[in-house]
């Protein structure tokens, strides 16, 4: 910042060749405005990165489902993102960030539509933060990410429209209400709950909603037979790997933008620290999964390694700032280990999670939230655990009620024949790979 101020007068010299001399122009922003500009710019750029995670989820899920269900997963991902964008505008944003307009103080926010500043800004604009438009855009991406988590777990047997109706409720009400308890200044925040970028607020919420759906929906036909788990390999591990790398890239926006300010050299240094910790936690998760699958199965498992990287990312999300590189790597590595152990555990319980979203986002979301106490002296283990339980009970119970209502009113599962033939043709009448279809 000092460098910018030093160079500003020199940069303001604009050469005018026709007159043969330099004329000084007043291009220095008003006091306070430069921080507002940089923070707004940060939200926009990091928001773009988090939006790119939508492509990551799409490719990951398209690669991990069978060929006959790929188009359905792509449809769900583009539709859920669009639904989230509208519902977060209509009700979610102000429900999550009510300011002084709580409907129930510190519990339920304001029921009103999001409003941006007028064109060209306003003389009353608060220059200590960022534009409303950039903040709305950035926060929306977290809402959409929560819905993406649910999509992968319930793949290959859920109907399209019940899933989209659930997405409406999740993005308009379930996610914003519980997020307001922490990020909107609600009662969990007042208790001292720490969740920097959403191991609980985003990832475990998606995991709880997915778990409720999986229990009510039931496993895929033929997944569990005679006490054993029948493997159902995905259609394209190339796409799954691409999706993982896209998610890894997008996570820099997810965690880095959650610093919330880029108005000082200190904040910029912290963002850089967050990027480095985020990256090494993913690496730790991937390597831990690689080594553990080699030990357990005598061969490394690519899908486990991919989920191990994502597990490391989820694990560091609750506190990506305070750890050093070593601690961040170990936190991510524990996440990678948990995923390798949790996937077969779910299968033993006959909870069918097609892409492993529950181990990655729920199990590691819980671990990451607890791990905050390791590196952040302001964190209380009791408060962290209490917040995990409160958010978990709220999300799971409300999600289960919604899934059950959808099941008894319109049905949430496709017919046995449609499931066997594939949801692409049954639900959409089109295939992702028509040249490989039968006949």
């Amino acid at each position: 910042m000092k460098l910018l101020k030093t160079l500003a007068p020199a940069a303001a010299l604009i050469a005018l060749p026709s007159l043969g001399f330099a004329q000084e122009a007043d291009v220095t922003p008003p006091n306070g405005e430069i921080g507002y500009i940089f923070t707004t710019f940060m939200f926009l750029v990091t928001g773009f990165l988090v939006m790119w995670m939508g492509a990551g989820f799409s490719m990951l899920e398209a690669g991990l489902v069978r060929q006959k269900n790929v188009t359905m997963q792509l449809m769900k991902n583009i539709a859920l993102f669009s639904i989230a964008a509208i519902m977060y505008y209509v009700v979610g944003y102000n429900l999550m960030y009510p300011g002084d307009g709580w409907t129930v103080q510190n519990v339920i926010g304001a029921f009103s539509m999001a409003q941006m500043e007028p064109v060209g800004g306003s003389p009353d604009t608060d220059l200590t933060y960022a534009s409303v438009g950039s903040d709305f855009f950035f926060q929306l991406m977290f809402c959409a990410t929560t819905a993406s988590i649910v999509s992968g777990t319930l793949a290959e047997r859920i109907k399209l429209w019940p899933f989209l109706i659930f997405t409406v409720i999740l993005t308009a009400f379930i996610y914003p209400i519980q997020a307001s308890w922490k990020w909107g200044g609600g009662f969990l925040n007042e208790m001292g709950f720490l969740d920097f970028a959403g191991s609980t607020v985003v990832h475990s919420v998606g995991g709880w909603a997915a778990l409720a759906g999986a229990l009510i929906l039931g496993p895929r036909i033929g997944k569990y037979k005679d006490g054993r788990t029948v493997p159902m390999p995905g259609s394209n591990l190339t796409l799954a790997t691409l999706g993982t790398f896209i998610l890894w890239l997008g996570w820099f926006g997810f965690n880095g933008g959650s610093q919330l300010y880029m108005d000082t050299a200190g904040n910029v240094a912290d963002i850089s620290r967050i990027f480095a910790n985020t990256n090494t936690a993913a690496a730790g998760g991937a390597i831990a999964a690689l080594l553990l699958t080699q030990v357990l199965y005598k061969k490394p498992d690519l899908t486990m390694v991919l989920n191990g990287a994502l597990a490391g990312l989820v694990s560091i999300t609750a506190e990506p700032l305070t750890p050093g590189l070593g601690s961040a790597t170990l936190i991510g590595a524990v996440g990678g280990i948990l995923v390798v152990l949790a996937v077969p555990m779910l299968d033993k319980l006959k909870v069918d999670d097609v892409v492993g979203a529950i181990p990655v986002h729920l199990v590691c979301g819980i671990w990451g939230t607890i791990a905050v106490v390791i590196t952040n002296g302001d964190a209380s283990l009791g408060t962290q655990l209490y917040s995990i339980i409160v958010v978990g009970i709220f999300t799971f119970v409300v999600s289960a009620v919604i899934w059950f209502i959808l099941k008894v009113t319109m049905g949430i599962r496709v017919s046995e024949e449609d499931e066997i033939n594939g949801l692409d043709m049954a639900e959409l009448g089109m295939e992702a790979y028509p040249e490989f279809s039968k006949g």
Side-chain angles (χ1 to χ4, degrees):
M1 185 63 78
K2 291 181 179 178
L3 179 62
L4 286 175
K5 289 182 178 179
T6 302
L7 296 179
L13 294 176
I14 301 176
L16 301 176
S18 60
L19 298 180
F21 62 88
Q23 177 174 314
E24 185 172 341
D26 183 12
V27 297
T28 304
N31 290 336
E33 194 168 307
I34 192 68
Y36 174 88
I37 292 170
F38 277 129
T39 300
T40 295
F41 180 74
M42 178 199 70
F43 276 143
L44 294 175
V45 173
T46 54
F48 300 155
L49 284 171
V50 183
M51 180 183 176
W52 188 230
M53 291 174 69
F57 279 114
S58 298
M59 295 301 97
L60 179 67
E61 293 173 23
L64 293 181
V65 300
R66 289 168 290 178
Q67 175 184 314
K68 61 186 179 180
N69 298 308
V70 171
T71 306
M72 180 66 160
Q73 288 309 108
L74 299 176
M75 175 65 81
K76 286 196 296 182
N77 275 279
I78 189 70
L80 70 84
F81 182 86
S82 303
I83 288 170
I86 294 171
M87 298 314 301
Y88 199 65
Y89 149 63
V90 172
V91 63
Y93 183 63
N94 283 336
L95 196 56
M96 183 170 165
Y97 293 108
D100 296 326
W102 292 90
T103 301
V104 177
Q105 188 64 36
N106 293 339
V107 178
I108 299 177
F111 289 92
S112 59
M113 292 185 176
Q115 299 266 345
M116 294 189 292
E117 300 98 339
V119 175
S122 166
D124 300 325
T125 297
D126 180 8
L127 298 180
T128 62
Y129 189 46
S131 71
V132 175
S134 68
D135 184 59
F136 169 82
F137 179 77
F138 179 70
Q139 299 298 339
L140 160 64
M141 300 306 146
F142 288 67
C143 181
T145 296
T146 306
S148 296
I149 295 167
V150 183
S151 172
T153 293
L154 308 181
E156 301 201 316
R157 73 265 200 210
I158 194 168
K159 293 180 179 178
L160 176 63
W161 288 104
F163 171 79
L164 297 184
I165 290 171
F166 180 82
T167 299
V168 169
I169 299 169
L170 176 67
T171 56
F173 301 105
I174 298 174
Y175 170 78
I177 287 175
Q178 61 81 32
S180 74
W181 299 343
K182 166 55 187 172
W183 291 342
F187 72 97
L188 292 182
N189 184 67
E190 290 192 340
M191 290 180 61
F193 174 45
L194 299 181
D195 189 2
F196 192 94
S199 285
T200 286
V201 173
V202 177
H203 295 283
S204 75
V205 166
W208 286 118
L211 178 61
L215 291 174
I216 292 173
L217 187 63
R220 288 167 290 175
I221 296 171
K223 179 63 178 176
Y224 304 111
K225 281 186 178 180
D226 305 323
R228 62 188 180 89
T229 300
V230 178
M232 294 182 173
S235 62
N236 194 325
L237 293 184
T238 304
L239 282 184
T241 304
L242 173 64
T244 301
F245 271 113
I246 292 174
L247 287 167
W248 192 328
L249 173 65
W251 230 286
F252 295 121
F254 202 96
N255 287 355
S258 295
Q259 177 69 13
L260 300 182
Y261 291 91
M262 199 175 79
D263 56 348
T264 66
N267 278 321
V268 172
D270 284 350
I271 293 170
S272 304
R273 183 184 178 96
I274 290 167
F275 278 21
N277 282 338
T278 298
N279 187 70
T280 198
I287 296 301
L290 173 68
L291 295 175
L292 186 56
T293 53
Q294 175 68 53
V295 171
L296 295 178
Y297 308 125
K298 308 309 177 187
K299 292 181 181 179
D301 185 318
L302 174 61
T303 59
M304 287 289 197
V305 175
L306 298 179
N307 275 334
L310 298 178
L313 290 163
V314 172
S315 299
I316 201 63
T317 292
E319 184 49 87
L321 177 59
T322 56
L325 288 172
S327 298
T329 306
L330 292 175
I331 289 170
V334 172
I337 292 170
L338 288 173
V339 159
V340 174
L341 299 178
V343 168
M345 181 189 71
L346 282 181
D347 282 331
K348 287 182 179 179
L349 298 173
K350 296 186 178 180
V351 178
D352 188 8
D353 180 355
V354 178
V355 304
I358 293 171
V360 169
H361 298 279
L362 176 53
V363 173
C364 292
I366 292 172
W367 153 243
T369 305
I370 295 171
V372 175
V373 302
I374 298 173
T375 63
N376 191 327
D378 294 330
S380 161
L381 179 59
T383 301
Q384 296 298 101
L385 291 173
Y386 174 79
S387 301
I388 290 168
I389 293 169
V390 168
V391 171
I393 291 175
F394 168 76
T395 305
F396 182 81
V397 171
V398 174
S399 297
V401 169
I402 301 303
W403 285 125
F404 182 77
I405 291 173
L406 290 170
K407 179 178 181 179
V408 299
T409 55
M410 62 189 300
I412 60 176
R413 184 163 187 150
V414 298
S415 68
E416 182 175 339
E417 180 182 0
D418 287 345
E419 183 175 342
I420 292 172
N421 291 333
L423 276 61
D424 286 2
M425 291 303 297
E427 290 282 292
L428 304 175
M430 61 179 64
E431 297 173 296
Y433 308 107
E435 67 272 25
F436 295 111
S437 62
K438 294 180 180 179

